[in-house]
Amino acid sequence: MSTPGIKPRPAATPIDILPTDAARLYTHIHPALLLSLYALRFNAIVADPVPALLQTLIPLSALQIAYVTVCLPPTAGSGSSTPAVPKAAKKRASAAKTATGSNTVKIVPALLSLILSLFAITPLTGITLILFGAPITTHFAHTFLAAAHIAILAFLPLVYVLGVDGERWREVVGLLLPVDEVVGGMVGTLVGAWAGAVPIPLDWDREWQKWPVTIVTGAYLGYALGKLAGGLVFKGRKIMFD
Amino acid sequence: MEDPLPSYEGLAAAFAKAKAEKEKEEAAGLRDRTDDAKAANNQGEVRFKAAHGLLLAFFSWILLLHVLGIYLFTSGFLLTRLVLDYKSSCAVPPVDLTRSYQVGSPELGCWHPKTFEKAVVIIVDALRYDFTVPFRPQGIDDKPHHYHNAIPVFYETAVQHPTNAFLLPFIADPPTTTLQRLKGLTTGTLPTFIDAGSNFAGTAIEEDNLIAQLRSAGKRIVHLGDDTWHALFPGYFEPDLTRAYDSFNVWDLHTVDNGVTEHIFPLLHPSNTSKWDVVFGHYLGVDHAGHRYGPDHPAMTSKLEQMDAVFRRMIETLDDSTLLVVMGDHGMDAKGDHGGESDDEIQAALWMYSKKGIFGRSAPAKIEPPATAKERPVAQIDLVSTLSLLLGMPIPFNNLGAPIEEAFIGKKGQDYENLALVNRLATSQIHRYQHEYAQARGLDENARSSSLSLWAAAEDSWVSLVRAKSPSAKQWNNAYSAFSAYQRETLSVCRALWARFDVARMVHGVEILALTLIVLAIYARGIDGDRTELTPALFLRAMIGTALGLLVGLATGFGVPSLPLEHTVIYATAVGSAAGFASGFWYVRRRLVSPIPRSIWGWVGVTLTVALSVGFASNSFTIWEDEILLHFLTTFGVLMAISSFRQADIIDRALGCYHSILFIVLTRIASLSRLCREEQMPYCKSTYYASANSSTSAIWQLAIPFFVAFTLPNLLRSYFKSTQSYQGSAILWIDFAFRTGLLISAAFWTMDAADDGDWFPGYGALLKTSKIILAQIVFAIALAAGYSTFAWAAPLLNIETKSNLTAEKSEERSRQVVAEGGSSSITILGYANVHGSRYALLITMWLLAVILVQKPMGGGAIGLLGWQIFSLFEIIDTNHLSETPVGPLVLGFLGSFHFFKTGHQATLSSIQWESAFIPLKTIKYPWSPLLIILNTFGAQIICAVAVPAVVLWKQPPKKKGLLGDVAKAIATHLLFYAVINLATTMWAGWLRRHLMLYRIFNPRFMAGAIVLLVVEVVGILIALLGVRLNFLSVAEIFGWS
């Protein structure tokens, strides 16, 4: 891919939320809203997962789109005029102006992120669920709806801030990006969904043990925790393997 | 062949140096070997052999400690009872009958005149004794609970009509689970873990029992209710009258009960009583109400009231010649559960009723049923002899219980003659049984001395009684007491032998396993640098510690006679050994590092291993172990893929990603091969055989071994070719011998199916003989030809001489290019993977042997396993993980996973006994058990063989401390199984009275212990010895460092 002569790309930096009051406020309200939405829908999802999960996708998408447009800087590469990382205090005012002033403009990359998450990432997530042991011959709707929820939770914000830059996405998969609330949310969602499989085999005979309720529950809880931890506690750190 | 050797020497040396120094080094190496160099080389070989020998000794020592720990635990835990096949017969009473009665027929009564024609025997599951007697406040604040006073029918009838009914506490022998209780209630004997009889795996009762006696006497038996009876007595019941109901749905309080009631009353109707002789009914509602709500709940009150009404109605409809027996098979604890040995769980109730009015009490005070279960209890096993004699049946051979006094003493309560007669019969049968048991088991007479003297006393009293012309009631009473004294003594001896856990042995066994685990953990993960340097000191000190421990054990064992000798010696030896290791570790303390993980790999490995082990404390996680392993293996695969994405080198990255994703996908494909255990139903669909109810393969499955034979050699070849190691013996072995072996093995399974399905009638014998010959040929290829190849093969190298111009272009890792000066250069092909490629031949040999003994589907799974193992090597190499515990741990998970994918479960019933007959016509020791081990644990065996390759793969031939790395990897692999073994052992011991012990925890413990020992033996005898052959062969060419 790379040919000699091209300068090495600058290392990725953690993403700061937009320097507006709305962003600073909404970034904390957002996980609470998401969890409330899920708590509200929980009984319906347990009762009949497929239609309930499908319907819940709409408010989930709306909340995520609201979150990214209000709080996050859109990708530099997607044609938007907003710089990915507002640097100096001098620039901050203008950046804030752009951020607040062009909310309608930012809807477009947000919608594109949603479409990418739904149609590119959801199938991959669904296949991953099957590889982890989800039913391979039945329950397709269940599995892929769970995958859609995971994709919108974990990856919609990432698509919004990173765009479709291949090298950045290699860093996403390799967990090489510095931790921030977007990366934290992604890792949290995936770990939460992973841990959500734990109660499934137990012989408690509870309705909520049915596929894929626990996975989706784990994903929502994991997203909220991961976003919080990534944004506040571990911000700027690197994930080390060795 | 003499000449090239020195040049190889030089080349290898050159590789280790910087490029600038290469020429110089080479020149030095190319000189004829001096005597000094030769001597140094010989010294190197001696050093290697010594270090290797010590590693063998060290791992054998760990094996020994595990054997001691497992033995000590098992001897305290797995109490066994020999099941004798003898059956009592109507015509052969255990003792000469008296003048008053001749040997009869079932119509009159076999050994004793019968009392009843027919019987209705009802079990109210979990009917605790205090449910049936009136509530008596113990203090002012004591209020009746919901379970009190709700079923008064038994008490009322016993008090109002003492000759028609009696009510007594009915004590169960733990474990208080329905299956074990039904065994006790029908055979009259005590439960043990393993009733070692002819049928090891099935649940059907093989030994003599009341139901079998009734059936062989031609009685028509009807069963209504809990379907556990049908597992125990298949085909015993009248099919058109019998109604069985699922017993496991504890949330359903009424289906079973309503079903029993609906069908039992028509049977009791006078127009239908001629259709049956004995009815067994089994109500489950009380038990289920207990499980669901606990006893102190209004649901329990209404359930008991419902039962009360049922039995009042039954009394009304009963005819005169029919005996009605109602009992609980066990009680329930305060939460409504059972299985254990607490008072509330073992105290059930027994009520007998008949319209004949023949029951009596030896004293008027005994008319009122006991207020608590502590007074005048009878044992549940007493029911067997009582019912047998009342119905005129012979007493089952293995019975240990005595006839119940109230049923035989007569309505005036003075018929001691009858009581003495029935007790003499029951006791003589017990004596006959004990005699046969002692002979079959080779027990010495000492253990029985006290009971034998009681027997002599009882005989004496009988002789004096017979001499007297008209014996007095007192004499009869004396004889009765003498016989029951013998019965009680025998019962307590048997109980001590069979039904008590030796907790001290179990705890000490667990301690030994835990200490060994600590030693292994420090050795595997807590030592810095080369383990071979430290093993001598460790081993020496362990030996000294063991010797001291043995001495202390012997001295204590002989010095303190109250201590059991064997137990003391084993424990002291093992603890001494561990202390020796501890002192060894102290001696090398400068080299110790914290065994706590330092990388994400270590943490993930520890977390997943511990999570799996902790999960074995839960029956659900144990049942679904196969799915959990899939989840964990995929987790490892995803982490390896992520790690691959992090690699800076683009080739490493691409290869790592490819192999990681391949690994994950292959795991998921393998997971499609399933053999479900009963408890996984209905959420699991078996695919291992043609259908869920067969143990033969479907036609399409026969194609799998052929597919494996055509693809697997090519796939594995590519892993050799990537380092140009596909040279020399590998070509002949993989392309020809391995493939031929796989093809013959596939042919074997087709012929096996032809034989099973009788496709060619008349040629069955021919098929049988020829398929056995084929199987033997495959074994000869895999092991005889395979080991000769492996032992004598040179490393998989080749030399290429090229002109300098072309050599410049092929600067690859796999080649070692050395400038010869002038216009040509020598290239060594396969240099990059000298150790790994050659050692991998050993893996393929065992792959072939294991694939042969697996069913077609299992052959496919093992083929996938082989592919996954080689992918894992590549992942480890491209991600530079050979220092981490990932390789050995993933191999542990992989082996455990494919255990399930080859049609096995942690249950006795999934053992494929027929695999013993693949290459043999008859059972031959030791081959038959070895074949079953190879079939059952084939996946774990292959993974254990593959462990050294994890650290040998693509390592330079003279890398320092390579043997130490092998030791580290093997120790880490063993650590995985040792953790699982320790956990399953502890859980089995802790949950020894759990409802699911027999079905789930005990089989998992046994599987864990056997796997650990098998993997250790394989690690020592196959892997470590294979490493030795490998190192010797590589050093032939490259010399010793």
Side-chain angles (χ1 to χ4, degrees), chain B residues 371-407:
Chain B
T372 72
K374 294 286 178 209
E375 303 157 43
R376 293 192 281 136
V378 295
Q380 293 205 340
I381 53 172
D382 291 347
L383 181 77
V384 175
S385 54
T386 308
L387 268 185
S388 298
L389 292 168
L390 287 176
L391 294 174
M393 293 290 112
I395 300 173
F397 197 88
N398 296 352
N399 168 62
L400 291 169
I404 295 167
E405 188 181 279
E406 279 77 358

mmCIF file of all heavy atoms in Angstrom, chain B residues 371-407:
data_model
loop_
_atom_site.group_PDB
_atom_site.id
_atom_site.type_symbol
_atom_site.label_atom_id
_atom_site.label_comp_id
_atom_site.label_asym_id
_atom_site.label_seq_id
_atom_site.Cartn_x
_atom_site.Cartn_y
_atom_site.Cartn_z
ATOM 1 N N ALA B 371 -44.119 -38.639 68.282
ATOM 2 C CA ALA B 371 -44.296 -37.203 68.111
ATOM 3 C C ALA B 371 -43.222 -36.623 67.204
ATOM 4 O O ALA B 371 -43.452 -35.685 66.456
ATOM 5 C CB ALA B 371 -44.258 -36.515 69.463
ATOM 6 N N THR B 372 -42.008 -37.168 67.280
ATOM 7 C CA THR B 372 -40.942 -36.713 66.391
ATOM 8 C C THR B 372 -40.322 -37.920 65.713
ATOM 9 O O THR B 372 -40.516 -39.059 66.134
ATOM 10 C CB THR B 372 -39.827 -35.982 67.161
ATOM 11 O OG1 THR B 372 -39.103 -36.971 67.913
ATOM 12 C CG2 THR B 372 -40.378 -34.930 68.083
ATOM 13 N N ALA B 373 -39.536 -37.630 64.686
ATOM 14 C CA ALA B 373 -38.928 -38.706 63.918
ATOM 15 C C ALA B 373 -37.769 -39.357 64.651
ATOM 16 O O ALA B 373 -37.168 -40.308 64.164
ATOM 17 C CB ALA B 373 -38.464 -38.168 62.570
ATOM 18 N N LYS B 374 -37.437 -38.815 65.826
ATOM 19 C CA LYS B 374 -36.336 -39.414 66.579
ATOM 20 C C LYS B 374 -36.768 -40.688 67.309
ATOM 21 O O LYS B 374 -35.944 -41.492 67.711
ATOM 22 C CB LYS B 374 -35.829 -38.414 67.631
ATOM 23 C CG LYS B 374 -35.191 -37.175 67.030
ATOM 24 C CD LYS B 374 -33.827 -37.502 66.473
ATOM 25 C CE LYS B 374 -33.207 -36.282 65.815
ATOM 26 N NZ LYS B 374 -32.295 -36.660 64.750
ATOM 27 N N GLU B 375 -38.106 -40.837 67.519
ATOM 28 C CA GLU B 375 -38.576 -41.997 68.280
ATOM 29 C C GLU B 375 -39.025 -43.099 67.328
ATOM 30 O O GLU B 375 -39.710 -42.829 66.340
ATOM 31 C CB GLU B 375 -39.762 -41.587 69.176
ATOM 32 C CG GLU B 375 -39.433 -40.445 70.127
ATOM 33 C CD GLU B 375 -40.692 -39.708 70.552
ATOM 34 O OE1 GLU B 375 -41.685 -40.387 70.853
ATOM 35 O OE2 GLU B 375 -40.682 -38.459 70.553
ATOM 36 N N ARG B 376 -38.653 -44.304 67.657
ATOM 37 C CA ARG B 376 -39.087 -45.525 66.955
ATOM 38 C C ARG B 376 -39.022 -45.400 65.433
ATOM 39 O O ARG B 376 -39.956 -45.779 64.720
ATOM 40 C CB ARG B 376 -40.529 -45.869 67.346
ATOM 41 C CG ARG B 376 -40.660 -46.286 68.804
ATOM 42 C CD ARG B 376 -42.011 -46.893 69.048
ATOM 43 N NE ARG B 376 -43.080 -45.923 69.207
ATOM 44 C CZ ARG B 376 -44.272 -46.038 68.633
ATOM 45 N NH1 ARG B 376 -44.533 -47.064 67.833
ATOM 46 N NH2 ARG B 376 -45.199 -45.120 68.858
ATOM 47 N N PRO B 377 -37.940 -44.880 64.880
ATOM 48 C CA PRO B 377 -37.894 -44.799 63.416
ATOM 49 C C PRO B 377 -37.629 -46.163 62.795
ATOM 50 O O PRO B 377 -37.046 -47.039 63.438
ATOM 51 C CB PRO B 377 -36.716 -43.864 63.161
ATOM 52 C CG PRO B 377 -35.813 -44.085 64.317
ATOM 53 C CD PRO B 377 -36.696 -44.427 65.500
ATOM 54 N N VAL B 378 -38.077 -46.351 61.568
ATOM 55 C CA VAL B 378 -37.669 -47.535 60.811
ATOM 56 C C VAL B 378 -36.868 -47.029 59.600
ATOM 57 O O VAL B 378 -37.061 -45.914 59.137
ATOM 58 C CB VAL B 378 -38.863 -48.391 60.336
ATOM 59 C CG1 VAL B 378 -39.588 -48.982 61.516
ATOM 60 C CG2 VAL B 378 -39.798 -47.597 59.455
ATOM 61 N N ALA B 379 -35.967 -47.894 59.119
ATOM 62 C CA ALA B 379 -35.151 -47.513 57.974
ATOM 63 C C ALA B 379 -35.926 -47.761 56.689
ATOM 64 O O ALA B 379 -36.770 -48.653 56.633
ATOM 65 C CB ALA B 379 -33.852 -48.313 57.966
ATOM 66 N N GLN B 380 -35.648 -46.976 55.670
ATOM 67 C CA GLN B 380 -36.369 -47.169 54.409
ATOM 68 C C GLN B 380 -36.093 -48.535 53.800
ATOM 69 O O GLN B 380 -36.952 -49.111 53.138
ATOM 70 C CB GLN B 380 -35.989 -46.066 53.422
ATOM 71 C CG GLN B 380 -36.481 -44.700 53.887
ATOM 72 C CD GLN B 380 -36.690 -43.722 52.765
ATOM 73 O OE1 GLN B 380 -36.151 -43.878 51.675
ATOM 74 N NE2 GLN B 380 -37.491 -42.705 53.011
ATOM 75 N N ILE B 381 -34.876 -49.057 54.027
ATOM 76 C CA ILE B 381 -34.583 -50.367 53.452
ATOM 77 C C ILE B 381 -35.398 -51.468 54.127
ATOM 78 O O ILE B 381 -35.542 -52.554 53.569
ATOM 79 C CB ILE B 381 -33.076 -50.691 53.532
ATOM 80 C CG1 ILE B 381 -32.567 -50.521 54.949
ATOM 81 C CG2 ILE B 381 -32.285 -49.822 52.566
ATOM 82 C CD1 ILE B 381 -31.136 -51.007 55.101
ATOM 83 N N ASP B 382 -35.974 -51.188 55.327
ATOM 84 C CA ASP B 382 -36.798 -52.204 55.991
ATOM 85 C C ASP B 382 -38.066 -52.518 55.199
ATOM 86 O O ASP B 382 -38.685 -53.566 55.376
ATOM 87 C CB ASP B 382 -37.206 -51.731 57.396
ATOM 88 C CG ASP B 382 -36.017 -51.675 58.341
ATOM 89 O OD1 ASP B 382 -34.960 -52.233 57.961
ATOM 90 O OD2 ASP B 382 -36.138 -51.087 59.421
ATOM 91 N N LEU B 383 -38.446 -51.602 54.340
ATOM 92 C CA LEU B 383 -39.682 -51.809 53.590
ATOM 93 C C LEU B 383 -39.574 -53.028 52.679
ATOM 94 O O LEU B 383 -40.558 -53.730 52.447
ATOM 95 C CB LEU B 383 -39.980 -50.567 52.744
ATOM 96 C CG LEU B 383 -41.266 -50.662 51.937
ATOM 97 C CD1 LEU B 383 -42.453 -50.428 52.836
ATOM 98 C CD2 LEU B 383 -41.276 -49.680 50.787
ATOM 99 N N VAL B 384 -38.378 -53.288 52.151
ATOM 100 C CA VAL B 384 -38.222 -54.336 51.143
ATOM 101 C C VAL B 384 -38.545 -55.708 51.711
ATOM 102 O O VAL B 384 -39.363 -56.445 51.159
ATOM 103 C CB VAL B 384 -36.791 -54.294 50.558
ATOM 104 C CG1 VAL B 384 -36.581 -55.442 49.601
ATOM 105 C CG2 VAL B 384 -36.578 -52.969 49.853
ATOM 106 N N SER B 385 -37.930 -56.035 52.863
ATOM 107 C CA SER B 385 -38.210 -57.356 53.423
ATOM 108 C C SER B 385 -39.661 -57.425 53.911
ATOM 109 O O SER B 385 -40.325 -58.459 53.764
ATOM 110 C CB SER B 385 -37.236 -57.655 54.559
ATOM 111 O OG SER B 385 -37.266 -56.607 55.502
ATOM 112 N N THR B 386 -40.164 -56.314 54.448
ATOM 113 C CA THR B 386 -41.544 -56.292 54.938
ATOM 114 C C THR B 386 -42.536 -56.570 53.809
ATOM 115 O O THR B 386 -43.386 -57.463 53.909
ATOM 116 C CB THR B 386 -41.849 -54.921 55.571
ATOM 117 O OG1 THR B 386 -40.841 -54.629 56.526
ATOM 118 C CG2 THR B 386 -43.200 -54.906 56.224
ATOM 119 N N LEU B 387 -42.412 -55.820 52.732
ATOM 120 C CA LEU B 387 -43.334 -56.010 51.614
ATOM 121 C C LEU B 387 -43.167 -57.387 50.991
ATOM 122 O O LEU B 387 -44.146 -58.048 50.633
ATOM 123 C CB LEU B 387 -43.084 -54.941 50.545
ATOM 124 C CG LEU B 387 -43.888 -53.653 50.628
ATOM 125 C CD1 LEU B 387 -43.600 -52.788 49.423
ATOM 126 C CD2 LEU B 387 -45.379 -53.958 50.710
ATOM 127 N N SER B 388 -41.908 -57.851 50.866
ATOM 128 C CA SER B 388 -41.668 -59.163 50.269
ATOM 129 C C SER B 388 -42.409 -60.238 51.044
ATOM 130 O O SER B 388 -43.106 -61.072 50.457
ATOM 131 C CB SER B 388 -40.171 -59.490 50.285
ATOM 132 O OG SER B 388 -39.474 -58.567 49.521
ATOM 133 N N LEU B 389 -42.271 -60.208 52.380
ATOM 134 C CA LEU B 389 -42.888 -61.267 53.169
ATOM 135 C C LEU B 389 -44.405 -61.118 53.198
ATOM 136 O O LEU B 389 -45.127 -62.111 53.137
ATOM 137 C CB LEU B 389 -42.316 -61.247 54.584
ATOM 138 C CG LEU B 389 -40.832 -61.655 54.633
ATOM 139 C CD1 LEU B 389 -40.219 -61.339 55.983
ATOM 140 C CD2 LEU B 389 -40.665 -63.135 54.313
ATOM 141 N N LEU B 390 -44.899 -59.881 53.246
ATOM 142 C CA LEU B 390 -46.355 -59.688 53.265
ATOM 143 C C LEU B 390 -46.987 -60.169 51.961
ATOM 144 O O LEU B 390 -48.101 -60.659 51.947
ATOM 145 C CB LEU B 390 -46.689 -58.213 53.490
ATOM 146 C CG LEU B 390 -46.447 -57.670 54.914
ATOM 147 C CD1 LEU B 390 -46.717 -56.182 54.953
ATOM 148 C CD2 LEU B 390 -47.318 -58.401 55.929
ATOM 149 N N LEU B 391 -46.264 -60.020 50.855
ATOM 150 C CA LEU B 391 -46.815 -60.418 49.557
ATOM 151 C C LEU B 391 -46.368 -61.808 49.141
ATOM 152 O O LEU B 391 -46.648 -62.246 48.026
ATOM 153 C CB LEU B 391 -46.397 -59.412 48.483
ATOM 154 C CG LEU B 391 -46.979 -58.008 48.640
ATOM 155 C CD1 LEU B 391 -46.382 -57.063 47.625
ATOM 156 C CD2 LEU B 391 -48.498 -58.032 48.518
ATOM 157 N N GLY B 392 -45.622 -62.488 50.022
ATOM 158 C CA GLY B 392 -45.227 -63.858 49.718
ATOM 159 C C GLY B 392 -44.093 -63.985 48.732
ATOM 160 O O GLY B 392 -43.940 -64.999 48.075
ATOM 161 N N MET B 393 -43.303 -62.945 48.600
ATOM 162 C CA MET B 393 -42.171 -62.973 47.678
ATOM 163 C C MET B 393 -40.904 -63.364 48.437
ATOM 164 O O MET B 393 -40.808 -63.156 49.648
ATOM 165 C CB MET B 393 -41.947 -61.574 47.075
ATOM 166 C CG MET B 393 -43.045 -61.096 46.155
ATOM 167 S SD MET B 393 -43.016 -62.057 44.641
ATOM 168 C CE MET B 393 -44.527 -62.954 44.825
ATOM 169 N N PRO B 394 -39.899 -63.903 47.743
ATOM 170 C CA PRO B 394 -38.596 -64.072 48.401
ATOM 171 C C PRO B 394 -37.966 -62.703 48.659
ATOM 172 O O PRO B 394 -38.204 -61.759 47.905
ATOM 173 C CB PRO B 394 -37.786 -64.883 47.396
ATOM 174 C CG PRO B 394 -38.449 -64.681 46.091
ATOM 175 C CD PRO B 394 -39.894 -64.382 46.358
ATOM 176 N N ILE B 395 -37.156 -62.618 49.707
ATOM 177 C CA ILE B 395 -36.498 -61.336 50.008
ATOM 178 C C ILE B 395 -35.353 -61.145 49.014
ATOM 179 O O ILE B 395 -34.559 -62.057 48.812
ATOM 180 C CB ILE B 395 -35.965 -61.330 51.447
ATOM 181 C CG1 ILE B 395 -37.130 -61.522 52.425
ATOM 182 C CG2 ILE B 395 -35.215 -60.034 51.743
ATOM 183 C CD1 ILE B 395 -36.695 -61.691 53.856
ATOM 184 N N PRO B 396 -35.259 -59.989 48.342
ATOM 185 C CA PRO B 396 -34.185 -59.774 47.378
ATOM 186 C C PRO B 396 -32.810 -60.059 47.967
ATOM 187 O O PRO B 396 -32.571 -59.794 49.151
ATOM 188 C CB PRO B 396 -34.332 -58.298 46.997
ATOM 189 C CG PRO B 396 -35.764 -58.006 47.210
ATOM 190 C CD PRO B 396 -36.176 -58.847 48.380
ATOM 191 N N PHE B 397 -31.929 -60.568 47.125
ATOM 192 C CA PHE B 397 -30.678 -61.134 47.612
ATOM 193 C C PHE B 397 -29.825 -60.142 48.389
ATOM 194 O O PHE B 397 -29.228 -60.479 49.395
ATOM 195 C CB PHE B 397 -29.875 -61.684 46.425
ATOM 196 C CG PHE B 397 -28.797 -62.627 46.834
ATOM 197 C CD1 PHE B 397 -29.047 -63.986 46.973
ATOM 198 C CD2 PHE B 397 -27.515 -62.166 47.112
ATOM 199 C CE1 PHE B 397 -28.050 -64.858 47.375
ATOM 200 C CE2 PHE B 397 -26.526 -63.032 47.512
ATOM 201 C CZ PHE B 397 -26.792 -64.381 47.635
ATOM 202 N N ASN B 398 -29.740 -58.919 47.906
ATOM 203 C CA ASN B 398 -28.819 -57.951 48.506
ATOM 204 C C ASN B 398 -29.447 -57.142 49.642
ATOM 205 O O ASN B 398 -28.832 -56.196 50.120
ATOM 206 C CB ASN B 398 -28.335 -56.961 47.444
ATOM 207 C CG ASN B 398 -27.518 -57.647 46.368
ATOM 208 O OD1 ASN B 398 -27.184 -58.819 46.490
ATOM 209 N ND2 ASN B 398 -27.215 -56.930 45.318
ATOM 210 N N ASN B 399 -30.644 -57.515 50.074
ATOM 211 C CA ASN B 399 -31.346 -56.724 51.086
ATOM 212 C C ASN B 399 -30.599 -56.725 52.417
ATOM 213 O O ASN B 399 -30.024 -57.732 52.822
ATOM 214 C CB ASN B 399 -32.745 -57.316 51.283
ATOM 215 C CG ASN B 399 -33.415 -56.749 52.510
ATOM 216 O OD1 ASN B 399 -33.644 -55.560 52.591
ATOM 217 N ND2 ASN B 399 -33.687 -57.611 53.476
ATOM 218 N N LEU B 400 -30.619 -55.575 53.080
ATOM 219 C CA LEU B 400 -29.988 -55.463 54.393
ATOM 220 C C LEU B 400 -30.992 -55.068 55.477
ATOM 221 O O LEU B 400 -30.628 -54.969 56.639
ATOM 222 C CB LEU B 400 -28.874 -54.412 54.358
ATOM 223 C CG LEU B 400 -27.644 -54.757 53.540
ATOM 224 C CD1 LEU B 400 -26.750 -53.537 53.379
ATOM 225 C CD2 LEU B 400 -26.867 -55.890 54.192
ATOM 226 N N GLY B 401 -32.238 -54.812 55.107
ATOM 227 C CA GLY B 401 -33.223 -54.327 56.085
ATOM 228 C C GLY B 401 -33.932 -55.467 56.806
ATOM 229 O O GLY B 401 -33.889 -56.620 56.383
ATOM 230 N N ALA B 402 -34.611 -55.100 57.883
ATOM 231 C CA ALA B 402 -35.326 -56.082 58.701
ATOM 232 C C ALA B 402 -36.828 -55.865 58.570
ATOM 233 O O ALA B 402 -37.269 -54.755 58.283
ATOM 234 C CB ALA B 402 -34.908 -55.929 60.156
ATOM 235 N N PRO B 403 -37.646 -56.906 58.786
ATOM 236 C CA PRO B 403 -39.100 -56.726 58.730
ATOM 237 C C PRO B 403 -39.566 -55.752 59.814
ATOM 238 O O PRO B 403 -39.013 -55.718 60.918
ATOM 239 C CB PRO B 403 -39.644 -58.128 58.998
ATOM 240 C CG PRO B 403 -38.524 -59.047 58.698
ATOM 241 C CD PRO B 403 -37.266 -58.301 59.010
ATOM 242 N N ILE B 404 -40.575 -54.961 59.472
ATOM 243 C CA ILE B 404 -41.081 -53.962 60.419
ATOM 244 C C ILE B 404 -41.983 -54.637 61.442
ATOM 245 O O ILE B 404 -42.912 -55.376 61.092
ATOM 246 C CB ILE B 404 -41.842 -52.857 59.654
ATOM 247 C CG1 ILE B 404 -40.867 -52.105 58.742
ATOM 248 C CG2 ILE B 404 -42.520 -51.893 60.611
ATOM 249 C CD1 ILE B 404 -41.532 -51.214 57.728
ATOM 250 N N GLU B 405 -41.685 -54.350 62.707
ATOM 251 C CA GLU B 405 -42.342 -55.053 63.813
ATOM 252 C C GLU B 405 -43.863 -54.962 63.750
ATOM 253 O O GLU B 405 -44.562 -55.964 63.826
ATOM 254 C CB GLU B 405 -41.841 -54.429 65.121
ATOM 255 C CG GLU B 405 -42.268 -55.152 66.374
ATOM 256 C CD GLU B 405 -41.739 -54.436 67.616
ATOM 257 O OE1 GLU B 405 -40.568 -54.636 67.962
ATOM 258 O OE2 GLU B 405 -42.512 -53.668 68.247
ATOM 259 N N GLU B 406 -44.395 -53.769 63.511
ATOM 260 C CA GLU B 406 -45.832 -53.540 63.553
ATOM 261 C C GLU B 406 -46.595 -54.394 62.536
ATOM 262 O O GLU B 406 -47.773 -54.700 62.732
ATOM 263 C CB GLU B 406 -46.143 -52.055 63.299
ATOM 264 C CG GLU B 406 -45.989 -51.154 64.501
ATOM 265 C CD GLU B 406 -44.533 -50.827 64.825
ATOM 266 O OE1 GLU B 406 -43.633 -51.344 64.121
ATOM 267 O OE2 GLU B 406 -44.283 -50.088 65.794
ATOM 268 N N ALA B 407 -45.950 -54.785 61.483
ATOM 269 C CA ALA B 407 -46.646 -55.517 60.435
ATOM 270 C C ALA B 407 -46.732 -57.006 60.725
ATOM 271 O O ALA B 407 -47.477 -57.728 60.063
ATOM 272 C CB ALA B 407 -45.951 -55.283 59.097
#
